[in-house]
Amino acid sequence: MSVGHTAVTPQVGTDSQVSADSQVDVEQTGPCGDDDCGIREVLDRIGDRWTVLVVVELSKGVRRFRELQRAIPGISQRMLTLTTRRLCRDGLVERTAYATIPPQVEYRLTVMGESLAEMISGLADWSRDHKDAIAVSRRQWDADRG
């Protein structure tokens, strides 16, 4: 029996009856069908306030911690630390620490991180292409309901 199936489904058009004790087949589908494609985890990661900005900045090349912080307006040291740790944990960013005084740390996208950066770039292009149409649609929506 496949994941998401709990019992045999009675065939349509037959006289078979389902007893109160038996379970009916309930198909559990999501954005990926009936498998766990990981979309929720990916959206959790890229849907936060800072991840996309960090990935975009790292798509331009290797960056030191302070370079990243200066390039992303409004991000605190704590949030940048948390974001880069999460990206490293997910295998999207590689962190290299050098034994210098003060310590020097560099971040770069992994191959997987570069593939995410390409998707983000496509989303940015789509956003740029549709920005005006979305603004018009929002104004119309607000006018019709306001």
Side-chain angles (χ1 to χ4, degrees), residues 38-116:
I39 191 70
R40 287 177 190 248
E41 289 83 10
V42 170
L43 290 176
D44 283 346
R45 174 61 52 241
I46 66 171
D48 69 28
R49 183 173 183 182
W50 303 110
T51 296
V52 169
L53 298 175
V54 170
V55 170
V56 167
E57 186 59 31
L58 289 175
S59 70
K60 300 171 186 174
V62 176
R63 297 286 187 266
R64 292 184 186 171
F65 186 88
R66 293 286 177 226
E67 289 175 316
L68 275 174
Q69 192 173 19
R70 283 192 295 269
I72 303 169
I75 194 167
S76 67
Q77 179 175 339
R78 180 178 187 283
M79 285 312 303
L80 182 56
T81 299
L82 289 173
T83 302
T84 54
R85 279 185 188 159
R86 290 173 183 153
L87 289 167
C88 288
R89 181 176 182 252
D90 289 344
L92 300 169
V93 168
E94 179 182 295
R95 179 184 186 268
T96 305
Y98 298 97
T100 60
I101 298 178
Q104 182 181 340
V105 178
E106 291 181 341
Y107 296 92
R108 69 176 38 85
L109 292 176
T110 62
V111 172
M112 187 166 49
E114 289 172 358
S115 70
L116 175 61

Side-chain angles (χ1 to χ4, degrees), residues 23-40:
Q23 296 176 332
V24 177
D25 180 18
V26 177
E27 185 78 27
Q28 295 179 359
T29 60
C32 303
D34 63 354
D35 66 334
D36 178 17
C37 65
I39 191 70
R40 287 177 190 248

